[in-house]
Amino acid sequence: MPQYERILITGAAGRLGTILRPGLAHLASKIRVAGRHPFDDLCPNEEEAVFDLSDMDATIAATESCDAIVHFGGASVESPWQTILDASIRGSYHIYEGARKNGIKRIVYASSVHAIGFHEIEAQIGVDAPVRPDSLYGVSKNFVESLSRLYWDKFGIESVCLRIFSSFPEPTDRRHLWSYLSFDDCVRLVEASLTAPRVGHTISFGMSDNKVKTVDNTGANHLGYRPQDNSEPFRAAVEAKTPAPDPKSLSTRYLGGFFCELGHPDDESASVR
Amino acid sequence: MPQYERILITGAAGRLGTILRPGLAHLASKIRVAGRHPFDDLCPNEEEAVFDLSDMDATIAATESCDAIVHFGGASVESPWQTILDASIRGSYHIYEGARKNGIKRIVYASSVHAIGFHEIEAQIGVDAPVRPDSLYGVSKNFVESLSRLYWDKFGIESVCLRIFSSFPEPTDRRHLWSYLSFDDCVRLVEASLTAPRVGHTISFGMSDNKVKTVDNTGANHLGYRPQDNSEPFRAAVEAKTPAPDPKSLSTRYLGGFFCELGHPDDESASVR
Amino acid sequence: MPQYERILITGAAGRLGTILRPGLAHLASKIRVAGRHPFDDLCPNEEEAVFDLSDMDATIAATESCDAIVHFGGASVESPWQTILDASIRGSYHIYEGARKNGIKRIVYASSVHAIGFHEIEAQIGVDAPVRPDSLYGVSKNFVESLSRLYWDKFGIESVCLRIFSSFPEPTDRRHLWSYLSFDDCVRLVEASLTAPRVGHTISFGMSDNKVKTVDNTGANHLGYRPQDNSEPFRAAVEAKTPAPDPKSLSTRYLGGFFCELGHPDDESASVR
Amino acid sequence: MPQYERILITGAAGRLGTILRPGLAHLASKIRVAGRHPFDDLCPNEEEAVFDLSDMDATIAATESCDAIVHFGGASVESPWQTILDASIRGSYHIYEGARKNGIKRIVYASSVHAIGFHEIEAQIGVDAPVRPDSLYGVSKNFVESLSRLYWDKFGIESVCLRIFSSFPEPTDRRHLWSYLSFDDCVRLVEASLTAPRVGHTISFGMSDNKVKTVDNTGANHLGYRPQDNSEPFRAAVEAKTPAPDPKSLSTRYLGGFFCELGHPDDESASVR
Amino acid sequence: MPQYERILITGAAGRLGTILRPGLAHLASKIRVAGRHPFDDLCPNEEEAVFDLSDMDATIAATESCDAIVHFGGASVESPWQTILDASIRGSYHIYEGARKNGIKRIVYASSVHAIGFHEIEAQIGVDAPVRPDSLYGVSKNFVESLSRLYWDKFGIESVCLRIFSSFPEPTDRRHLWSYLSFDDCVRLVEASLTAPRVGHTISFGMSDNKVKTVDNTGANHLGYRPQDNSEPFRAAVEAKTPAPDPKSLSTRYLGGFFCELGHPDDESASVR
Amino acid sequence: MPQYERILITGAAGRLGTILRPGLAHLASKIRVAGRHPFDDLCPNEEEAVFDLSDMDATIAATESCDAIVHFGGASVESPWQTILDASIRGSYHIYEGARKNGIKRIVYASSVHAIGFHEIEAQIGVDAPVRPDSLYGVSKNFVESLSRLYWDKFGIESVCLRIFSSFPEPTDRRHLWSYLSFDDCVRLVEASLTAPRVGHTISFGMSDNKVKTVDNTGANHLGYRPQDNSEPFRAAVEAKTPAPDPKSLSTRYLGGFFCELGHPDDESASVR
């Protein structure tokens, strides 16, 4: 018998949402997949909720009857302020209000390495290090980390904030060789976050078991996450097609990679990949 | 010759803004006082800027020709989300954007004890402790602390975030006996923040030299702030008219005081003093 | 040739003593098994010592001719004060006095998770964290941890204090899934403690290699303990027969589990399992 | 109006108890002075309780009708085990049981530097450092520090454990020049411990404002203790009559002073000053 | 295509230099092997540089056209001051000056456990612990660790300082059972140091994956070093031929082993193995 | 009666040596003043020792019959390598060898802020922070800090390494406003270092009680140093004649000030003030 009645997955049409849908299926009787557009590939165990996170009433309504939320919706890269504000800041507030009003027990939130992107690699920070966002995107992650702390301390809703590094089908650049989080490990990490006996308010980094480790995740050991993958199988290919990194470039020096080099997203000339 | 050409003070009509106007006068050739309504008491060294912080263009315009900002505007207590969002989150973003566009060198921001209000007194936290807001108000303080970190790391604008405890004419309850920041000390703290040779991004607690100390401000010693006042002259009167605190109440246990006991500000039944 | 001449095992008739008898046999020419009643299953390498730990002279006599002690005797669960006092506090003092008078080199002591049972799981404490006992039983463990520190600093007797979590034939409840110490790993841990080249005064947590880790044992890495077991083979069965834990219950929140919920053992109404 | 109804002072006939009787008089309507012999100098605000701490029933009875306890009774120097056991370990247990049964709110306990006497001076330990007792006396202090932690975490009785260094009429040896706690400062420290708004379970060092500082008491700043005295007025006299210390002697190297050099108190040949 | 054009290996005729020559061959188009005497076993991928490290001009000349240096030259054990001065202090200065003048990007330096040899095993120090050398040899290692920090902070030359424990063909004494660094793991460690994307100035301990771990190398996890060997295969033989260690001897107590017991190398009576 | 028989002051003709001669006179029966040239102003309590620190035999001879050394000799600013090597590295080795051969008990060494000059001001480092020298001068300070640690751990000679910031007649630039150590405070600091009961191996920062504090000297509180001066009386004059600092310049950002901007002293074009 699954642990949860109904898990809401926001951002379910996104890159990671798509792999979480089948990956978390065994944890709940029903998965409610949320997105801005109708889904054309619903599985029997799924039901859909179509709404925009910036719509408070709709968002709160979508959390009804759920007992856990996997909140991966909102902006997924650096974006103009208005997008960050509506999708990530206001949208996440709506999610937490839904959780409070509808008695949700636990939320797993897709925070990001960009919440602490301006820390140096050699600093080997732990999960308790002060925030150093590398973008408005990162600032919005700090906002939700703070908001979720309040909702735990005051309203008793547990949260795990996952500072995901680079979760892609495979590593495609040199930085990915240490920041890679395989899709399977991503599912393992979210599953661990949903099933750990007690999380209170926990912040965890999210990476596979890559050789080069740039942060210390000891503080999240109670999640029980054990990565099974690593970037070594992709190393030769990546190194063959990309030059050796410049250790002094901002992209190599700081955890956040090229986000640290981005200009302001509201500037016309800002380059956002 | 003053160090600054023109300092913008937001929230200049507020409780603390009002005492900062004369207190900081010697630091700049001109003080630009900002508020939502015209000022009827402008001094010769002052000029006014009347606008609402939620108005991005107006806010940015108000920062022109300034080289420092003392940002004390926005919500001053726990408030409904929409107020927090418009006045404190959006408003502060507008301030930092003004700073970026107009070459402001340094910003002194009125953060608050409520940014870390859910830490226990006995924990004796330092300025680097993880955030634990006690209210939406506190969450908005964390947002600006994060935003200002970004604007330092990426755009080179220095900030001092002052986690002000209780700055009132005098202590009026038992908690104030340790949380009191006298108006004169408040001015000293902001002046130190404006004149310290280097602040980068600094977080500092803001209290007078009260006997009971509940946090460790060592990490901000480079500001050069030396409080001259304390709550002892008021102790007898306060103790005479208020009962001894209950050590187990949330208000006594946590740094944030009664904010920790407030309900959600968006609930109709929420009590907001 | 074994490292020790004669190892005294107290509590040798107990749950763990019983598995340590054969498990440590290869480390000494002779194992002296101690208990309150005669043993009817002595092996050729064993000799018995029958006495009550509260009897100072008898306890000291039992340590003669030994060069190491594995002190697992005394109360094994929360107990009335008089029991804790006689068996655990006075009894352990007698053991250390025997060690001092008879030149014992090293003692391995069965401390317990209950010595630090009121720390929160998310705190991820290390072995140096301040004590927070969850019971009189835990207080007595702190007493011996302190006493053994004195006997090292002043009298040069090495001690390893093992804060054993849950050492049972197999995990039987949800908490055991992270607190489990298999019998084989328990033997490994005691063996490592006896054979490590230098321990001085070392405190170590004692768990198998379970997925969920709730403490940080880095500070005891010089013992050379490598757990080989974990609770995963038992997970399905345990989860099938026990409900999901309530993250807010004292039992789930704190390391000590249900000990944190026990009343005072001297109260008639106290429930002691 | 005093904060407390009735404060029980144990060890009221001792060196420090004698100065605490008048020193704390203003804090309670009634001071109950406890000792093993009748008092012949009772003041109008005082009442006596004559009993031996090793007598559980009598001790519990003596705590009735009190709302705070200043527990300075028990052995005051290194002593034979039986004395430590009866007066300090069993006696303190009886006090805490009295507190639990009679609803006492707060206990101020005379712990001692000897609870951490084997830490080196250069280590500059804080109040959270692991225990390193230098004597059975010190071990008994650790016992009560642990016991009082339990009674806070489980039974909600607040405690302040004061690790008093050297409280004498005046410094009489070189070590006292840094370990001195004047009688007036001792009273200030206990008063602060009784009146601080929240102490939970707090450990504090107890010294005057001597020039040489050997520990870091930052962790107890919420007590509001401000020493007013120091050892300088006595320096010339002390230095004139005592030789310069040998930096390598145990007495100078460790916080505990000559206690670190004492033999075992149960040995006939042990020298106990 | 190898990452480097030309790597200079100093001390190439030494015990570790000899195994690094083939071990690092794949990382550069050319390996320049440096020693005081001509090499009679040059491989096709190698070229030699024959000079004495105390000769500044020759040393600088030897670094020309290289883009990385593996600096394993200089005294390899405790030695008279004049040797330490010429070979290790002056010699290393010459190397860093060569690096500065010739644009070398990264240096891997053979520091040693003896740089922190007087730390206790139970302290479980990390790479950031204050230095505690156990010999003039160790002092010279601290000198280069400091010098290399300067050349990174001021001149932008990256360095990895490897505090190698005991790298021999196999463990030959009891201490080696925890201090052993196999030759293969030594090559892995240097290779990781040369290929990690960013090292800035990194200090790392150098050991194989031995059971007993005496230091915490978390701070160097960004090197990506994964030891594959350990001392277990040699345990039985070592234990058979050497007595159990005395936990109180300086050699067992401190990380530096017998170096801690050596007299001063400039004394005639000093024993230097 | 003074504590010492004979104190050797090296660098006695230098800026600080000159003020230490009278300042320390009361601490010893005789002050031996050392310099490279004869002194023409010897006081009755003084005797001279004329030699070059690079002369090992002469240096060792100069330490005979002394029981303490105040080692302020050697290079006093950034200098060419050969000068640093001879005067600061070799010279200090000679001093410590003299101390070892002649039974000196304690050495007070003039280290410098430049030993940790590349730490940022906001980092608020303590005395245990890893070294980050800003010059060859700073590297030589680290060398002596390491060497003195060895001579304590192995040979039992106590040392205090004083990381002096800016000790001049008065502050002359903006940085001095926080780095100033008045001459009187300098004497107080050395006196405290000579008379503290136990120093073992202690590192201390050396500044007056200036308002802006850039480091945390808590770890040296056992010296008993209490600064009496500060830079405020000079502030107005300094600020009048020097521009406000640029917070982003290396000189303002790092503790070491303009030393961080110096080129290499062996380069012809290097600017050394």
mmCIF file of all heavy atoms in Angstrom, chain C residues 81 93 97 100 134 142 146 151 154 259 262 264 266-267, chain D residues 93 97 100 134 142 146 151 154 259 262 264 266-267:
data_model
loop_
_atom_site.group_PDB
_atom_site.id
_atom_site.type_symbol
_atom_site.label_atom_id
_atom_site.label_comp_id
_atom_site.label_asym_id
_atom_site.label_seq_id
_atom_site.Cartn_x
_atom_site.Cartn_y
_atom_site.Cartn_z
ATOM 1 N N TRP C 81 15.369 4.581 39.604
ATOM 2 C CA TRP C 81 16.615 5.226 40.012
ATOM 3 C C TRP C 81 17.523 4.279 40.796
ATOM 4 O O TRP C 81 18.734 4.237 40.559
ATOM 5 C CB TRP C 81 16.291 6.463 40.843
ATOM 6 C CG TRP C 81 17.460 7.051 41.576
ATOM 7 C CD1 TRP C 81 17.618 7.151 42.923
ATOM 8 C CD2 TRP C 81 18.649 7.618 40.993
ATOM 9 N NE1 TRP C 81 18.812 7.749 43.221
ATOM 10 C CE2 TRP C 81 19.472 8.046 42.064
ATOM 11 C CE3 TRP C 81 19.097 7.793 39.680
ATOM 12 C CZ2 TRP C 81 20.712 8.649 41.878
ATOM 13 C CZ3 TRP C 81 20.332 8.397 39.481
ATOM 14 C CH2 TRP C 81 21.126 8.815 40.560
ATOM 15 N N TYR C 93 31.483 2.568 38.314
ATOM 16 C CA TYR C 93 32.591 3.086 39.124
ATOM 17 C C TYR C 93 33.451 1.935 39.625
ATOM 18 O O TYR C 93 34.688 2.003 39.586
ATOM 19 C CB TYR C 93 32.055 3.909 40.301
ATOM 20 C CG TYR C 93 33.151 4.387 41.217
ATOM 21 C CD1 TYR C 93 34.005 5.410 40.830
ATOM 22 C CD2 TYR C 93 33.357 3.782 42.461
ATOM 23 C CE1 TYR C 93 35.036 5.837 41.664
ATOM 24 C CE2 TYR C 93 34.374 4.206 43.300
ATOM 25 C CZ TYR C 93 35.213 5.229 42.899
ATOM 26 O OH TYR C 93 36.235 5.638 43.713
ATOM 27 N N GLU C 97 37.391 1.407 38.935
ATOM 28 C CA GLU C 97 38.330 1.246 40.023
ATOM 29 C C GLU C 97 39.115 -0.057 39.882
ATOM 30 O O GLU C 97 40.328 -0.106 40.133
ATOM 31 C CB GLU C 97 37.600 1.284 41.367
ATOM 32 C CG GLU C 97 37.402 2.691 41.890
ATOM 33 C CD GLU C 97 38.728 3.373 42.194
ATOM 34 O OE1 GLU C 97 39.239 3.212 43.314
ATOM 35 O OE2 GLU C 97 39.255 4.078 41.287
ATOM 36 N N ARG C 100 41.738 0.543 37.356
ATOM 37 C CA ARG C 100 42.838 1.355 37.870
ATOM 38 C C ARG C 100 43.749 0.531 38.781
ATOM 39 O O ARG C 100 44.977 0.609 38.699
ATOM 40 C CB ARG C 100 42.272 2.553 38.635
ATOM 41 C CG ARG C 100 43.317 3.538 39.128
ATOM 42 C CD ARG C 100 42.685 4.769 39.761
ATOM 43 N NE ARG C 100 42.054 4.502 41.036
ATOM 44 C CZ ARG C 100 42.675 4.595 42.231
ATOM 45 N NH1 ARG C 100 43.946 4.953 42.284
ATOM 46 N NH2 ARG C 100 42.023 4.323 43.340
ATOM 47 N N ASP C 134 17.916 11.156 27.432
ATOM 48 C CA ASP C 134 16.455 11.091 27.313
ATOM 49 C C ASP C 134 15.829 10.289 28.450
ATOM 50 O O ASP C 134 14.633 9.989 28.389
ATOM 51 C CB ASP C 134 16.058 10.508 25.957
ATOM 52 C CG ASP C 134 16.640 9.121 25.718
ATOM 53 O OD1 ASP C 134 16.978 8.426 26.698
ATOM 54 O OD2 ASP C 134 16.782 8.733 24.550
ATOM 55 N N ASN C 142 25.930 9.087 30.424
ATOM 56 C CA ASN C 142 26.745 10.299 30.489
ATOM 57 C C ASN C 142 27.708 10.249 31.668
ATOM 58 O O ASN C 142 28.850 10.691 31.579
ATOM 59 C CB ASN C 142 25.853 11.538 30.638
ATOM 60 C CG ASN C 142 24.994 11.824 29.426
ATOM 61 O OD1 ASN C 142 23.911 12.369 29.545
ATOM 62 N ND2 ASN C 142 25.463 11.458 28.233
ATOM 63 N N SER C 146 31.736 10.499 31.316
ATOM 64 C CA SER C 146 32.529 11.481 32.062
ATOM 65 C C SER C 146 33.588 10.778 32.920
ATOM 66 O O SER C 146 34.761 11.166 32.934
ATOM 67 C CB SER C 146 31.603 12.322 32.950
ATOM 68 O OG SER C 146 32.318 13.017 33.950
ATOM 69 N N TYR C 151 39.374 8.893 33.902
ATOM 70 C CA TYR C 151 40.329 7.790 34.058
ATOM 71 C C TYR C 151 41.336 7.751 32.914
ATOM 72 O O TYR C 151 42.408 7.161 33.057
ATOM 73 C CB TYR C 151 39.584 6.464 34.221
ATOM 74 C CG TYR C 151 39.180 6.231 35.678
ATOM 75 C CD1 TYR C 151 38.195 7.009 36.276
ATOM 76 C CD2 TYR C 151 39.807 5.266 36.474
ATOM 77 C CE1 TYR C 151 37.838 6.837 37.610
ATOM 78 C CE2 TYR C 151 39.459 5.085 37.810
ATOM 79 C CZ TYR C 151 38.473 5.879 38.369
ATOM 80 O OH TYR C 151 38.130 5.704 39.696
ATOM 81 N N LYS C 154 43.592 11.310 33.731
ATOM 82 C CA LYS C 154 44.373 11.282 34.976
ATOM 83 C C LYS C 154 45.096 9.962 35.204
ATOM 84 O O LYS C 154 46.220 9.958 35.706
ATOM 85 C CB LYS C 154 43.445 11.577 36.162
ATOM 86 C CG LYS C 154 44.168 11.745 37.483
ATOM 87 C CD LYS C 154 43.266 12.347 38.549
ATOM 88 C CE LYS C 154 43.541 13.826 38.744
ATOM 89 N NZ LYS C 154 42.765 14.465 39.789
ATOM 90 N N PHE C 259 12.040 6.455 24.075
ATOM 91 C CA PHE C 259 12.563 6.850 25.392
ATOM 92 C C PHE C 259 12.218 8.308 25.704
ATOM 93 O O PHE C 259 12.064 8.679 26.867
ATOM 94 C CB PHE C 259 14.083 6.666 25.451
ATOM 95 C CG PHE C 259 14.528 5.294 25.893
ATOM 96 C CD1 PHE C 259 14.106 4.159 25.224
ATOM 97 C CD2 PHE C 259 15.393 5.135 26.974
ATOM 98 C CE1 PHE C 259 14.530 2.884 25.625
ATOM 99 C CE2 PHE C 259 15.810 3.882 27.376
ATOM 100 C CZ PHE C 259 15.381 2.756 26.708
ATOM 101 N N LEU C 262 8.838 8.421 27.430
ATOM 102 C CA LEU C 262 8.635 7.735 28.698
ATOM 103 C C LEU C 262 8.455 8.743 29.826
ATOM 104 O O LEU C 262 9.096 9.792 29.845
ATOM 105 C CB LEU C 262 9.850 6.867 29.027
ATOM 106 C CG LEU C 262 10.112 5.648 28.159
ATOM 107 C CD1 LEU C 262 11.414 4.986 28.586
ATOM 108 C CD2 LEU C 262 8.952 4.683 28.253
ATOM 109 N N HIS C 264 8.628 9.383 34.108
ATOM 110 C CA HIS C 264 9.724 9.146 35.045
ATOM 111 C C HIS C 264 9.614 7.719 35.597
ATOM 112 O O HIS C 264 8.544 7.304 36.006
ATOM 113 C CB HIS C 264 9.652 10.163 36.186
ATOM 114 C CG HIS C 264 10.920 10.225 36.969
ATOM 115 N ND1 HIS C 264 11.316 9.238 37.828
ATOM 116 C CD2 HIS C 264 11.908 11.157 36.997
ATOM 117 C CE1 HIS C 264 12.479 9.560 38.380
ATOM 118 N NE2 HIS C 264 12.867 10.722 37.876
ATOM 119 N N ASP C 266 10.403 6.396 38.295
ATOM 120 C CA ASP C 266 10.049 6.223 39.702
ATOM 121 C C ASP C 266 8.576 6.516 39.973
ATOM 122 O O ASP C 266 8.105 6.310 41.094
ATOM 123 C CB ASP C 266 10.909 7.137 40.595
ATOM 124 C CG ASP C 266 12.337 6.618 40.705
ATOM 125 O OD1 ASP C 266 12.652 5.587 40.069
ATOM 126 O OD2 ASP C 266 13.149 7.243 41.396
ATOM 127 N N ASP C 267 7.877 6.979 38.950
ATOM 128 C CA ASP C 267 6.448 7.190 39.134
ATOM 129 C C ASP C 267 5.734 5.858 38.977
ATOM 130 O O ASP C 267 6.065 5.064 38.086
ATOM 131 C CB ASP C 267 5.904 8.171 38.082
ATOM 132 C CG ASP C 267 6.379 9.594 38.349
ATOM 133 O OD1 ASP C 267 6.987 9.825 39.413
ATOM 134 O OD2 ASP C 267 6.151 10.455 37.492
ATOM 135 N N TYR D 93 20.197 14.330 42.789
ATOM 136 C CA TYR D 93 19.021 13.647 42.253
ATOM 137 C C TYR D 93 17.797 13.946 43.113
ATOM 138 O O TYR D 93 16.706 14.224 42.599
ATOM 139 C CB TYR D 93 19.265 12.136 42.172
ATOM 140 C CG TYR D 93 18.062 11.368 41.720
ATOM 141 C CD1 TYR D 93 17.654 11.412 40.390
ATOM 142 C CD2 TYR D 93 17.298 10.637 42.617
ATOM 143 C CE1 TYR D 93 16.519 10.731 39.970
ATOM 144 C CE2 TYR D 93 16.163 9.952 42.208
ATOM 145 C CZ TYR D 93 15.771 9.995 40.887
ATOM 146 O OH TYR D 93 14.647 9.343 40.458
ATOM 147 N N GLU D 97 14.352 15.652 41.918
ATOM 148 C CA GLU D 97 13.072 14.990 42.130
ATOM 149 C C GLU D 97 12.126 15.890 42.924
ATOM 150 O O GLU D 97 10.928 15.964 42.635
ATOM 151 C CB GLU D 97 13.285 13.657 42.855
ATOM 152 C CG GLU D 97 13.580 12.512 41.907
ATOM 153 C CD GLU D 97 12.415 12.244 40.977
ATOM 154 O OE1 GLU D 97 11.506 11.478 41.360
ATOM 155 O OE2 GLU D 97 12.401 12.826 39.860
ATOM 156 N N ARG D 100 10.777 18.361 40.546
ATOM 157 C CA ARG D 100 9.774 17.782 39.657
ATOM 158 C C ARG D 100 8.444 17.581 40.382
ATOM 159 O O ARG D 100 7.371 17.890 39.852
ATOM 160 C CB ARG D 100 10.280 16.446 39.114
ATOM 161 C CG ARG D 100 9.356 15.795 38.098
ATOM 162 C CD ARG D 100 9.983 14.559 37.484
ATOM 163 N NE ARG D 100 10.062 13.453 38.405
ATOM 164 C CZ ARG D 100 9.099 12.525 38.565
ATOM 165 N NH1 ARG D 100 7.997 12.591 37.826
ATOM 166 N NH2 ARG D 100 9.240 11.548 39.424
ATOM 167 N N ASP D 134 38.280 16.736 36.172
ATOM 168 C CA ASP D 134 39.633 16.535 36.699
ATOM 169 C C ASP D 134 39.630 15.803 38.029
ATOM 170 O O ASP D 134 40.671 15.736 38.697
ATOM 171 C CB ASP D 134 40.342 17.886 36.841
ATOM 172 C CG ASP D 134 39.589 18.859 37.723
ATOM 173 O OD1 ASP D 134 38.789 18.421 38.567
ATOM 174 O OD2 ASP D 134 39.790 20.075 37.566
ATOM 175 N N ASN D 142 29.468 16.896 36.228
ATOM 176 C CA ASN D 142 28.976 16.455 34.922
ATOM 177 C C ASN D 142 27.672 15.683 35.067
ATOM 178 O O ASN D 142 26.773 15.805 34.238
ATOM 179 C CB ASN D 142 30.013 15.566 34.226
ATOM 180 C CG ASN D 142 31.282 16.276 33.841
ATOM 181 O OD1 ASN D 142 32.364 15.666 33.819
ATOM 182 N ND2 ASN D 142 31.202 17.568 33.548
ATOM 183 N N SER D 146 24.194 16.744 33.282
ATOM 184 C CA SER D 146 23.420 15.832 32.439
ATOM 185 C C SER D 146 22.007 15.659 32.986
ATOM 186 O O SER D 146 21.014 15.736 32.247
ATOM 187 C CB SER D 146 24.151 14.479 32.377
ATOM 188 O OG SER D 146 23.300 13.457 31.905
ATOM 189 N N TYR D 151 15.987 16.962 32.939
ATOM 190 C CA TYR D 151 14.815 17.538 33.610
ATOM 191 C C TYR D 151 14.293 18.768 32.864
ATOM 192 O O TYR D 151 13.142 19.163 33.056
ATOM 193 C CB TYR D 151 15.135 17.836 35.078
ATOM 194 C CG TYR D 151 14.934 16.601 35.958
ATOM 195 C CD1 TYR D 151 15.793 15.513 35.855
ATOM 196 C CD2 TYR D 151 13.858 16.511 36.841
ATOM 197 C CE1 TYR D 151 15.605 14.372 36.626
ATOM 198 C CE2 TYR D 151 13.667 15.365 37.616
ATOM 199 C CZ TYR D 151 14.542 14.303 37.508
ATOM 200 O OH TYR D 151 14.350 13.168 38.258
ATOM 201 N N LYS D 154 12.761 16.922 29.313
ATOM 202 C CA LYS D 154 11.611 16.042 29.517
ATOM 203 C C LYS D 154 10.573 16.615 30.475
ATOM 204 O O LYS D 154 9.374 16.433 30.265
ATOM 205 C CB LYS D 154 12.098 14.682 30.025
ATOM 206 C CG LYS D 154 10.997 13.637 30.138
ATOM 207 C CD LYS D 154 11.555 12.238 30.327
ATOM 208 C CE LYS D 154 11.568 11.456 29.028
ATOM 209 N NZ LYS D 154 12.023 10.085 29.137
ATOM 210 N N PHE D 259 43.756 20.474 41.055
ATOM 211 C CA PHE D 259 42.903 19.278 41.022
ATOM 212 C C PHE D 259 43.440 18.261 40.001
ATOM 213 O O PHE D 259 43.259 17.072 40.155
ATOM 214 C CB PHE D 259 41.465 19.653 40.648
ATOM 215 C CG PHE D 259 40.598 20.008 41.818
ATOM 216 C CD1 PHE D 259 40.963 21.006 42.707
ATOM 217 C CD2 PHE D 259 39.390 19.348 42.060
ATOM 218 C CE1 PHE D 259 40.167 21.352 43.787
ATOM 219 C CE2 PHE D 259 38.581 19.679 43.142
ATOM 220 C CZ PHE D 259 38.969 20.676 44.009
ATOM 221 N N LEU D 262 45.915 15.988 41.711
ATOM 222 C CA LEU D 262 45.508 15.158 42.846
ATOM 223 C C LEU D 262 45.497 13.684 42.468
ATOM 224 O O LEU D 262 45.129 13.324 41.351
ATOM 225 C CB LEU D 262 44.094 15.542 43.299
ATOM 226 C CG LEU D 262 43.901 16.924 43.924
ATOM 227 C CD1 LEU D 262 42.422 17.150 44.208
ATOM 228 C CD2 LEU D 262 44.707 17.028 45.205
ATOM 229 N N HIS D 264 43.969 9.741 43.444
ATOM 230 C CA HIS D 264 42.588 9.285 43.617
ATOM 231 C C HIS D 264 42.183 9.452 45.085
ATOM 232 O O HIS D 264 42.929 9.044 45.969
ATOM 233 C CB HIS D 264 42.470 7.824 43.183
ATOM 234 C CG HIS D 264 41.062 7.406 42.974
ATOM 235 N ND1 HIS D 264 40.170 7.205 43.996
ATOM 236 C CD2 HIS D 264 40.362 7.177 41.833
ATOM 237 C CE1 HIS D 264 38.994 6.859 43.510
ATOM 238 N NE2 HIS D 264 39.081 6.826 42.194
ATOM 239 N N ASP D 266 40.244 7.910 46.932
ATOM 240 C CA ASP D 266 40.014 6.698 47.718
ATOM 241 C C ASP D 266 41.325 6.014 48.088
ATOM 242 O O ASP D 266 41.318 5.031 48.833
ATOM 243 C CB ASP D 266 39.119 5.717 46.958
ATOM 244 C CG ASP D 266 37.669 6.184 46.937
ATOM 245 O OD1 ASP D 266 37.385 7.269 47.483
ATOM 246 O OD2 ASP D 266 36.831 5.478 46.375
ATOM 247 N N ASP D 267 42.422 6.526 47.558
ATOM 248 C CA ASP D 267 43.710 5.952 47.949
ATOM 249 C C ASP D 267 44.110 6.545 49.285
ATOM 250 O O ASP D 267 43.944 7.744 49.530
ATOM 251 C CB ASP D 267 44.785 6.291 46.906
ATOM 252 C CG ASP D 267 44.582 5.506 45.627
ATOM 253 O OD1 ASP D 267 43.702 4.612 45.609
ATOM 254 O OD2 ASP D 267 45.290 5.788 44.649
#
